[in-house]
Amino acid sequence: MDNRDIVVTSRIRLARNLKNYKFPVKITIEEAEKVISEVNSAINRINLNYELTYMKNLNNIEKSALVENHLISPALAEKERAAFLLSKDKKVSIMLNEEDHIRIQTLSPGLSLKECWDLSNKIDDVIEESVDYAFDNELGYVTSCPTNIGTGMRASVMVHLPALSITNQIEKLLYGVSQLGVAVRGVYGEGTKSIGHLYQISNQGSLGTGEETLIEKITQIVNQIIEKEVKLREHLKKNNFDEIEDEVYRAYGLLTNARRMTVEESMKLLSILKLGKEMDIVKLSKEMDIYRLMTMIQPSNIALKTGNNLNPKEREKNRAEILRRELLQ
Amino acid sequence: MDNRDIVVTSRIRLARNLKNYKFPVKITIEEAEKVISEVNSAINRINLNYELTYMKNLNNIEKSALVENHLISPALAEKERAAFLLSKDKKVSIMLNEEDHIRIQTLSPGLSLKECWDLSNKIDDVIEESVDYAFDNELGYVTSCPTNIGTGMRASVMVHLPALSITNQIEKLLYGVSQLGVAVRGVYGEGTKSIGHLYQISNQGSLGTGEETLIEKITQIVNQIIEKEVKLREHLKKNNFDEIEDEVYRAYGLLTNARRMTVEESMKLLSILKLGKEMDIVKLSKEMDIYRLMTMIQPSNIALKTGNNLNPKEREKNRAEILRRELLQ
């Protein structure tokens, strides 16, 4: 099994603020615009060709689809004066005037926080060459929210833990992990409730510890979680194969036949199918990226593709069509 | 839509007793044997070539499979001194030493009580040429149970009523029908609880009304039920097509993918699939006989085919295999 099966993506987010501006919450329209243009110039000075998008130019569906695809934060989507710069490969997104003036986010598949950190660092340097960051020699980077003061870094890893979830061992594990100063929340859905057995694991607080130490710590914890999930999958394969096999094929049968699907049901079934693919129970083409499918069937992704002309029932029909088309291709 | 879609089979059963013998409940072993050989000779005298099987020569699985296939009654299966004669095409079964000395049963597909009656009548005449029936000029045929005295006839029709069932209109309908002097019960499962939306409709009491009148009455009632089911299917197709379509394809997806299946779930899903086939929602080969499948996956039918070597979990796996093989062929 590839670790990428369990770790879907890694993400590093750096919070930065400009010295001579008020924090975004108090900023004027003119200053907000200046922040955006300063960072945009800094980035494009070295020909990175990132695309700049203003929040005010997007409708709610477009914003919400960007959130579903983890390219911007829900907080950014709500801010009129905000904007973001997006790299061509969508691995780097620089959010402007969210909670802080600048939030550099780098995304990469699998457990790859170090790569994300290197990339973030590079972008950070590029920007810093043109602008003055708010930095305190004692505290480190000054941020809007005290929890980000220090390195201003948040490292998050998205993990898919179906075996731990269906055997009801997830709560205990996640509680144990949270005792280590690490935050755990569901990826889709409200609050910590997880849909599709996807969890986001990230550091809590960034003061007093260096970035590399934080990354090492998170990586270590995630590796322990991976080990638990892998061992449990092996145990299930050995002792509960018939049940798992049945569950996986039922999920496949429903996903490839149903004519209507809610997000909740799709996510639950896709999670089981992903497990089945990774446990070699069901044969799917190697290129079949189930996590991509999980994103495609999110409400605003569907609304965006269909011009937002569908009522909720029609959206459920469209979702079922997408699933059949993608899985039966 | 063919009426045979809704009416699966028709059945006529005639209860007869021999004049000079005690009723089976009090009969001696020697007399029981004589009853069997008298009727066997009567039948084979005209070269019908019915196969005679003694209950004592069958194991429990064999008996119970015969009951599942509606070839003998549960009561016959329990009687040590009983036997039955079965025609080659399995349309005629003559049970011997059940509650009465002789119970002639004729089975035929669709709403065809008249055909069954004609056939039963013919067999009845053949037997009567060789034996003396217990007959009272005032009461008619003398039977062991008073409810059968008179014509000794029970006419039953097996109907499949998924639309009435899933829309929760079945209880009210069946209550109304039972007020007309007609008995309604589930075909599989305990008591009147129906599995697979299959119901048996039959006359209650056979005294004082001629056979043809009884048959006409049952046929009329069944035709009314058919009309209700057909109208409801049309209504569903017009007003709830998306829901029904989704239900049908989900049933198909589970039936053709699950690796384990209980009888209850199989029957529920096959019933919906049968509805979907008849409503032209799902394309299945014309020869696909879903009622036959419903019989094949009954517990004792499976046990019989697999030499009764399977534990309950293995039987569920075997059932799922049969369903996949038959539906995906």
Side-chain angles (χ1 to χ4, degrees):
Chain A
M1 185 175 341
D2 192 339
N3 280 350
R4 284 203 193 178
D5 289 346
I6 292 167
V7 181
V8 182
T9 52
S10 295
R11 180 158 48 151
I12 291 282
R13 190 218 62 200
L14 299 180
R16 300 289 184 258
N17 285 282
L18 303 189
K19 213 179 200 166
N20 303 312
Y21 294 84
K22 289 189 276 295
F23 280 137
V25 69
K26 292 189 172 183
I27 211 166
T28 63
I29 298 181
E30 293 73 27
E31 282 180 314
E33 184 49 48
K34 269 187 83 182
V35 168
I36 293 168
S37 85
E38 276 202 41
V39 180
N40 189 32
S41 308
I43 287 292
N44 285 310
R45 201 172 48 84
I46 58 151
N47 234 354
L48 283 176
N49 274 329
Y50 283 21
E51 192 183 357
L52 176 68
T53 307
Y54 285 86
M55 278 305 118
K56 63 184 175 203
N57 294 337
L58 300 179
N59 64 35
N60 287 336
I61 296 296
E62 290 167 322
K63 288 182 208 171
S64 153
L66 286 164
V67 172
E68 286 172 358
N69 300 342
H70 305 291
L71 296 176
I72 66 171
S73 65
L76 192 84
E78 283 168 15
K79 299 211 162 51
E80 263 296 300
R81 298 169 188 183
F84 71 103
L85 285 155
L86 187 63
S87 70
K88 282 241 157 78
D89 61 7
K90 297 189 176 176
K91 285 192 169 177
V92 184
S93 157
I94 304 169
M95 293 182 268
L96 301 166
N97 298 322
E98 198 233 39
E99 204 178 277
D100 297 295
H101 294 137
I102 305 173
R103 290 198 157 185
I104 303 165
Q105 177 189 273
T106 49
L107 260 171
S108 150
L111 185 49
S112 52
L113 285 172
K114 190 65 180 51
E115 288 90 315
C116 288
W117 163 242
D118 290 342
L119 183 55
S120 299
N121 215 0
K122 220 177 279 174
I123 310 289
D124 190 31
D125 289 347
V126 167
I127 299 173
E128 202 168 12
E129 273 174 41
S130 308
V131 305
D132 279 334
Y133 278 159
F135 187 82
D136 181 286
N137 278 333
E138 210 145 299
L139 292 171
Y141 290 101
V142 180
T143 55
S144 174
C145 175
T147 58
N148 293 316
I149 287 176
T151 62
M153 185 185 84
R154 172 156 294 174
S156 346
V157 175
M158 191 196 295
V159 284
H160 180 233
L161 306 174
L164 285 159
S165 301
I166 59 179
T167 57
N168 297 317
Q169 298 183 39
I170 193 80
E171 297 292 337
K172 203 183 138 208
L173 176 87
L174 296 183
Y175 176 77
V177 163
S178 72
Q179 298 298 93
L180 303 170
V182 154
V184 180
R185 57 182 184 81
V187 172
Y188 290 104
E190 300 284 305
T192 54
K193 205 187 120 222
S194 161
I195 303 184
H197 310 133
L198 290 168
Y199 296 88
Q200 196 90 257
I201 306 206
S202 58
N203 61 306
Q204 266 180 326
S206 57
L207 183 66
T209 325
E211 290 90 345
E212 314 236 343
T213 317
L214 269 175
I215 285 172
E216 239 166 70
K217 187 176 154 190
I218 297 276
T219 303
Q220 231 169 53
I221 291 173
V222 169
N223 272 325
Q224 282 170 28
I225 296 175
I226 293 174
E227 200 190 314
K228 285 212 164 64
E229 173 76 16
V230 169
K231 277 205 175 138
L232 193 51
R233 290 184 186 192
E234 281 160 6
H235 176 89
L236 289 175
K237 195 155 192 170
K238 211 169 144 190
N239 302 289
N240 304 78
F241 186 78
D242 288 352
E243 276 138 277
I244 296 285
E245 189 195 28
D246 186 47
E247 281 297 316
V248 167
Y249 275 99
R250 281 169 179 265
Y252 182 77
L254 289 173
L255 286 165
T256 54
N257 282 284
R259 259 52 185 170
R260 301 205 303 202
M261 274 275 173
T262 62
V263 185
E264 288 72 18
E265 188 184 12
S266 316
M267 290 294 283
K268 196 185 111 203
L269 298 175
L270 284 169
S271 172
I272 299 297
L273 187 64
K274 187 164 160 23
L275 175 68
K277 179 175 181 258
E278 289 156 13
M279 285 176 77
D280 285 324
I281 291 172
V282 70
K283 289 276 161 281
L284 295 175
S285 96
K286 255 204 151 175
E287 291 75 42
M288 176 62 62
D289 182 348
I290 293 175
Y291 174 67
R292 192 185 126 259
L293 250 179
M294 284 176 161
T295 309
M296 282 175 78
I297 53 87
Q298 294 301 315
S300 298
N301 270 271
I302 289 186
L304 197 60
K305 280 235 168 165
T306 52
N308 197 25
N309 292 320
L310 307 182
N311 65 37
K313 286 284 166 223
E314 290 168 334
R315 216 172 292 166
E316 288 181 8
K317 284 178 81 168
N318 184 272
R319 182 173 294 115
E321 275 167 35
I322 294 172
L323 289 165
R324 293 204 303 282
R325 188 188 64 217
E326 294 290 323
L327 289 169
L328 295 172
Q329 68 188 340
Chain B
M1 186 173 343
D2 192 338
N3 279 352
R4 285 204 193 177
D5 289 345
I6 293 166
V7 181
V8 181
T9 51
S10 295
R11 179 159 48 149
I12 291 282
R13 190 218 62 199
L14 299 180
R16 300 288 184 258
N17 285 283
L18 303 189
K19 215 178 196 166
N20 304 313
Y21 294 85
K22 289 190 274 298
F23 279 137
V25 71
K26 294 192 173 178
I27 211 166
T28 63
I29 298 182
E30 294 72 25
E31 282 179 313
E33 184 49 50
K34 269 188 82 181
V35 168
I36 293 169
S37 86
E38 275 203 41
V39 179
N40 189 32
S41 309
I43 286 293
N44 285 309
R45 201 173 48 85
I46 58 153
N47 234 352
L48 282 175
N49 273 327
Y50 283 19
E51 190 183 357
L52 176 67
T53 307
Y54 284 85
M55 278 305 117
K56 62 184 177 205
N57 294 337
L58 299 179
N59 63 35
N60 285 336
I61 296 295
E62 291 166 323
K63 289 183 207 170
S64 157
L66 287 164
V67 173
E68 286 172 357
N69 300 342
H70 305 292
L71 296 177
I72 66 171
S73 65
L76 192 84
E78 284 168 14
K79 300 213 161 48
E80 263 295 300
R81 298 171 187 182
F84 71 103
L85 285 155
L86 187 64
S87 70
K88 281 242 158 74
D89 60 8
K90 299 191 176 174
K91 284 191 171 179
V92 184
S93 158
I94 304 169
M95 294 182 268
L96 301 166
N97 297 322
E98 198 232 43
E99 205 179 276
D100 297 296
H101 293 138
I102 304 174
R103 289 198 158 186
I104 303 166
Q105 176 189 273
T106 49
L107 259 171
S108 150
L111 185 50
S112 52
L113 286 172
K114 190 64 179 52
E115 288 90 315
C116 288
W117 163 242
D118 290 343
L119 182 55
S120 299
N121 216 1
K122 221 176 280 173
I123 309 289
D124 191 32
D125 288 347
V126 167
I127 298 174
E128 203 168 11
E129 272 174 43
S130 309
V131 305
D132 278 334
Y133 279 157
F135 187 83
D136 181 286
N137 278 332
E138 210 143 300
L139 291 171
Y141 291 102
V142 180
T143 56
S144 175
C145 175
T147 60
N148 292 316
I149 289 177
T151 61
M153 185 186 83
R154 172 156 294 175
S156 345
V157 176
M158 191 197 295
V159 284
H160 180 234
L161 306 174
L164 285 159
S165 301
I166 57 178
T167 56
N168 297 316
Q169 298 183 40
I170 193 80
E171 297 293 337
K172 203 182 139 209
L173 176 86
L174 296 183
Y175 176 77
V177 163
S178 72
Q179 297 298 94
L180 302 170
V182 155
V184 181
R185 58 181 184 82
V187 172
Y188 291 104
E190 300 286 304
T192 54
K193 205 186 120 222
S194 160
I195 304 185
H197 310 133
L198 291 169
Y199 295 88
Q200 196 91 256
I201 306 208
S202 58
N203 62 305
Q204 267 180 324
S206 57
L207 184 66
T209 323
E211 290 91 345
E212 313 236 342
T213 317
L214 270 175
I215 286 171
E216 238 168 71
K217 188 176 154 190
I218 297 276
T219 303
Q220 232 168 50
I221 291 173
V222 170
N223 272 325
Q224 282 169 28
I225 295 175
I226 293 174
E227 200 189 314
K228 285 212 164 64
E229 173 76 15
V230 169
K231 278 206 175 137
L232 192 51
R233 290 183 186 193
E234 282 160 6
H235 176 89
L236 289 175
K237 195 156 192 170
K238 212 170 145 191
N239 302 288
N240 304 77
F241 185 78
D242 288 351
E243 275 137 277
I244 296 287
E245 189 194 27
D246 186 46
E247 281 297 315
V248 168
Y249 275 99
R250 281 170 179 265
Y252 181 77
L254 289 173
L255 287 164
T256 54
N257 281 284
R259 260 53 186 169
R260 303 205 300 202
M261 274 276 173
T262 62
V263 184
E264 288 72 19
E265 188 184 12
S266 316
M267 290 295 282
K268 195 185 112 202
L269 297 175
L270 285 170
S271 171
I272 298 296
L273 187 64
K274 186 163 160 23
L275 176 67
K277 179 174 181 259
E278 290 156 12
M279 284 176 78
D280 284 324
I281 291 172
V282 70
K283 290 275 161 280
L284 295 175
S285 94
K286 256 202 151 177
E287 292 74 43
M288 176 61 62
D289 181 348
I290 293 175
Y291 174 67
R292 191 185 126 259
L293 250 178
M294 284 174 161
T295 309
M296 282 174 77
I297 53 88
Q298 294 301 316
S300 298
N301 270 271
I302 288 186
L304 197 59
K305 280 234 167 166
T306 52
N308 197 25
N309 292 319
L310 307 183
N311 65 37
K313 286 283 165 225
E314 290 168 334
R315 216 171 292 165
E316 288 181 8
K317 284 178 81 168
N318 184 272
R319 183 173 293 116
E321 275 168 34
I322 295 172
L323 289 165
R324 291 203 305 282
R325 188 188 64 217
E326 294 289 323
L327 289 169
L328 294 172
Q329 69 188 337

